[in-house]
Amino acid sequence: GEQLFLAEKTGDRFSRKTLQSGIDGKTWPDFSELVDLAEATGRSLAFFLPPNLPEPSVDIVKIPVLDVKAAAGAGRNADVVSASGELTLPMDFVRKIASPDAALSCLRCAGDSMAPTIQDNALLIIDERQNTLRPWRPPSRKAPRQRQNSDDIFVFNQSGDLRLKRLRDIGDQFLLIWSDNHFEHQPEVFRRGRHRGSVIIGKVIWWDNRV
């Protein structure tokens, strides 16, 4: 069963007795062991985190899960974003990916335009406090050429469509919107203020393609 599968995947890292104790809820691995389990089995870190952690437990953070998907493609209608459930993660992990004052929420990607970086149905964590763009300036001729994928990835609402893209403020109220899958999805230029405009919901600070 599950014990045999985990034992085969993790090799000598965990004994079968230790694995069975965890499956039965009698003991709970520390954060480094959770990471080892996820990497060894190819499963999401969230897979090993049940909604109700046993006591005593590691310090945890509950992140609200949004009830919509960010469309990594043409966009999908999502004018209202509300919380639907929670994702439970160890505090140690959250401290590694987010600042203490971050406002975190999570959702899933829909579409392939951010592949191979972010794949369809990947779990995303965003920081809603990071919702502004710094004006982009072309690099100096003396500086190394800037890589295109240096732009951050954001979840944003564009004229009623919730989208997941890299964004660049190119000045005069114009945004460059582009995808990592540039073979199938061409860059777009969007002017703020037209129609219902665009609102940045948050910056993507972590994702997990293992689902």
Side-chain angles (χ1 to χ4, degrees):
E2 187 71 11
Q3 179 207 58
L4 179 59
F5 170 79
L6 293 175
E8 290 176 346
K9 291 294 185 179
T10 57
D12 297 332
R13 181 71 173 85
F14 302 96
S15 68
R16 292 195 179 187
K17 182 178 180 180
T18 298
L19 292 171
Q20 188 61 55
S21 179
I23 293 171
D24 295 340
K26 297 177 181 179
T27 60
W28 191 250
D30 60 27
F31 177 68
S32 63
E33 292 173 330
L34 289 176
V35 173
D36 287 344
L37 281 170
E39 292 179 348
T41 60
R43 287 173 169 170
S44 167
L45 179 64
F47 176 85
F48 296 98
L49 298 171
N52 298 312
L53 294 177
E55 298 292 345
S57 172
V58 295
D59 291 335
I60 61 172
V61 176
K62 292 185 177 181
I63 302 174
V65 178
L66 305 184
D67 66 354
V68 295
K69 290 187 176 183
R76 66 175 57 201
N77 293 332
D79 287 319
V80 179
V81 179
S82 59
S84 176
E86 294 178 321
L87 173 67
T88 302
L89 291 174
M91 175 68 77
D92 287 347
F93 173 70
V94 174
R95 286 172 176 166
K96 292 179 184 295
I97 67 171
S99 61
D101 62 343
L104 303 179
S105 57
C106 64
L107 66 168
R108 289 192 179 273
C109 168
D112 66 353
S113 76
M114 291 306 294
T117 308
I118 299 178
Q119 299 174 12
D120 184 29
N121 207 42
L123 180 66
L124 312 172
I125 294 181
I126 64 175
D127 180 3
E128 296 185 32
R129 292 192 185 277
Q130 299 188 56
N131 57 8
T132 58
L133 297 175
R134 292 177 296 179
W136 180 81
R137 295 289 182 268
S140 167
R141 292 183 179 180
K142 297 181 179 180
R145 186 175 180 181
Q146 184 177 6
R147 295 178 59 188
Q148 188 181 33
N149 63 2
S150 63
D151 292 316
D152 292 322
I153 303 172
F154 290 89
V155 173
F156 61 102
N157 190 310
Q158 180 187 356
S159 300
D161 292 334
L162 195 69
R163 308 191 70 189
L164 172 70
K165 300 286 186 183
R166 295 190 188 272
L167 295 180
R168 179 184 296 178
D169 182 347
I170 56 178
D172 295 329
Q173 297 298 307
F174 285 98
L175 296 179
L176 174 63
I177 303 172
W178 56 278
S179 309
D180 285 11
N181 183 2
H182 52 84
F183 294 105
E184 298 183 29
H185 300 270
Q186 298 300 312
E188 308 166 45
V189 176
F190 180 81
R191 186 168 187 173
R192 293 183 176 184
R194 289 190 175 183
H195 306 296
R196 282 176 283 174
S198 61
V199 178
I200 297 176
I201 297 173
K203 175 183 171 181
V204 178
I205 61 172
W206 180 85
W207 60 89
D208 191 343
N209 288 319
R210 299 169 298 183
V211 295

